[in-house]
Amino acid sequence: MTSISKKIPLLQAVRRAMLKLDSSMILIGGDVNPNCIGRYFVDEFWEMPSLEEMKVAELISFCKMKNIRFVIPTRDGELAYFASHRRICEEHGIFVMVSERDTIETCLDKIRFYGVLKAHGFPVIPTSLSAETLNCHYYVVKERYGAGAKSIGLHLAKQEALLHAERLESPIFQPFIQGCEMSVDLYITRAGEVKGAIVRKRDYVVNGESQITTTLKNEKLERLCMEVARYLKLYGHIVMQVIIDGEGKFHFVECNSRFGGASTLSIEAGLDSFYWFFLESQGVNLENYPFTRSPIEKRQIRYPTDLVVDI
């Protein structure tokens, strides 16, 4: 797993899937920061070089040396790199849970994401490089590329929005829509079929990540997200962000083509993404491993905790 940082629940979820597949597997975690907290929760830590400096031959050589068969990228900034090299890695028996490069670029670029979904008639929030082109009273201002929570400005009047945009590298503008924030976790198979989807209400959000999130059933939204996932040709575990306004209408905000910070709740609710990824990578037909959603809704509360080790 790359860019492990302090993603402890994610590491633990991957480990549980590993144990279901093969108890002899070990978990290697990589990060450019040698002092990252995640290193204490893996079997072996790899101080990764910057991806800008690492050629694919070096990546493959390292994976072969360590007998690494599966790679799970976790950071937006590395998805394009792994997507570009996904096919050549597979030729060497190394399977990466990432979509194709073109799909990744569509999801990372909010202007492109808006254009692609709008062209197909999906209900996506209008997104523009200029506040002038939007007909609204209040704005959302965020970075054009990557995760939308970075330096986001919410519910801003026009002048406030313009001032906020000056502090961003590549600002984009969207109308502010009042409503319930939803995250939808999906797993899409190698054949492009959606294995399962779980809707989560983002009850309490800090820096763009749900600290409290609750599963709920919304079959209409699930079906719509499945359509979008198939249309974009996504693969693996992805997360769609959607707002449901006061009239019950859906507004797609963005798509994170990776595992999300609070997506571990969906695993608990039956979306066994990592296990399915391991099985598929070994040529196993997932039809024999059905998606069984929990009949009971679940709530996840994320909180810091301590680990004490002997030294």
Side-chain angles (χ1 to χ4, degrees):
M1 216 176 99
T2 63
S3 297
I4 58 174
S5 184
K6 54 182 179 180
K7 301 165 186 167
I8 312 309
L10 175 50
L11 288 165
Q12 293 169 335
V14 171
R15 189 181 293 281
R16 286 195 297 272
M18 288 166 51
L19 290 173
K20 289 169 69 173
L21 184 74
D22 181 352
S23 61
S24 68
M25 291 171 68
I26 68 165
L27 177 57
I28 298 175
D31 202 284
V32 295
N33 177 12
N35 297 312
C36 73
I37 292 172
R39 71 175 300 157
Y40 297 100
F41 294 83
V42 295
D43 299 309
E44 187 175 331
F45 176 71
W46 177 33
E47 184 180 343
M48 292 180 63
S50 167
L51 292 181
E52 289 78 15
E53 301 170 1
M54 184 168 62
K55 296 179 179 179
V56 66
E58 296 175 61
L59 172 67
I60 292 171
S61 176
F62 177 81
C63 289
K64 285 189 171 183
M65 179 179 67
K66 295 292 184 180
N67 194 27
I68 292 171
R69 292 180 288 159
F70 312 109
V71 177
I72 301 171
T74 70
R75 181 175 60 87
D76 283 329
E78 63 191 10
L79 296 179
Y81 173 90
F82 284 104
S84 297
H85 304 308
R86 173 183 161 189
R87 296 299 178 185
I88 190 171
C89 284
E90 286 191 8
E91 291 173 10
H92 291 271
I94 304 159
F95 296 88
V96 187
M97 193 166 77
V98 70
S99 300
E100 296 288 356
R101 176 70 183 253
D102 189 61
T103 297
I104 293 295
E105 290 179 347
T106 296
C107 293
L108 290 176
D109 182 346
K110 295 174 185 60
I111 293 290
R112 181 170 168 177
F113 179 77
Y114 165 66
V116 168
L117 263 63
K118 181 175 182 292
H120 197 69
F122 289 116
V124 59
I125 289 182
T127 305
S128 175
L129 295 172
S130 169
E132 306 295 337
T133 61
L134 299 176
N135 182 24
C136 60
H137 295 294
Y138 294 100
Y139 299 82
V140 173
V141 185
K142 61 179 78 166
E143 290 287 1
R144 176 175 177 174
Y145 302 99
K150 183 182 176 184
S151 306
I152 192 171
L154 293 169
H155 200 250
L156 303 177
K158 186 174 182 179
Q159 195 57 38
E160 293 174 312
L162 293 173
L163 288 172
H164 187 84
E166 292 178 1
R167 300 196 291 268
L168 303 185
E169 291 180 19
S170 301
I172 54 98
F173 299 85
Q174 296 173 329
F176 176 78
I177 296 176
Q178 191 74 47
C180 292
E181 291 185 62
M182 300 290 175
S183 289
V184 185
D185 290 295
L186 303 99
Y187 183 83
I188 303 96
T189 68
R190 293 172 66 86
E193 294 301 317
V194 181
K195 182 71 175 173
I198 290 182
V199 178
R200 298 184 282 109
K201 185 175 182 293
R202 291 155 62 86
D203 302 304
Y204 179 53
V205 180
V206 178
N207 296 325
E209 286 197 351
S210 302
Q211 299 303 298
I212 302 175
T213 183
T214 306
T215 65
L216 57 89
K217 290 182 180 178
N218 188 321
E219 292 183 0
K220 186 177 179 181
L221 179 56
E222 290 168 14
R223 286 195 300 270
L224 185 59
C225 288
M226 289 177 182
E227 287 180 36
V228 172
R230 284 189 287 263
Y231 177 65
L232 293 176
K233 295 182 172 61
L234 287 155
Y235 161 65
H237 188 108
I238 62 101
V239 189
M240 294 191 184
Q241 308 292 358
V242 183
I243 292 175
I244 305 179
D245 66 21
E247 298 179 358
K249 295 179 180 177
F250 302 135
H251 305 268
F252 279 86
V253 179
E254 61 186 45
C255 174
N256 298 323
S257 41
R258 55 168 173 76
F259 200 84
S263 295
T264 44
L265 176 60
S266 291
I267 290 182
E268 293 294 328
L271 198 73
D272 211 353
S273 296
F274 297 121
Y275 185 48
W276 292 334
F277 163 62
F278 294 149
L279 290 171
E280 273 201 295
S281 299
Q282 298 192 127
V284 176
N285 189 340
L286 289 188
E287 290 182 5
N288 300 321
Y289 296 84
F291 166 50
T292 306
R293 190 192 190 283
S294 169
I296 302 170
E297 302 304 335
K298 296 177 182 289
R299 174 168 294 149
Q300 176 175 280
I301 299 93
R302 309 189 80 201
Y303 66 98
T305 188
D306 299 329
L307 172 70
V308 179
V309 298
D310 294 332
I311 57 173

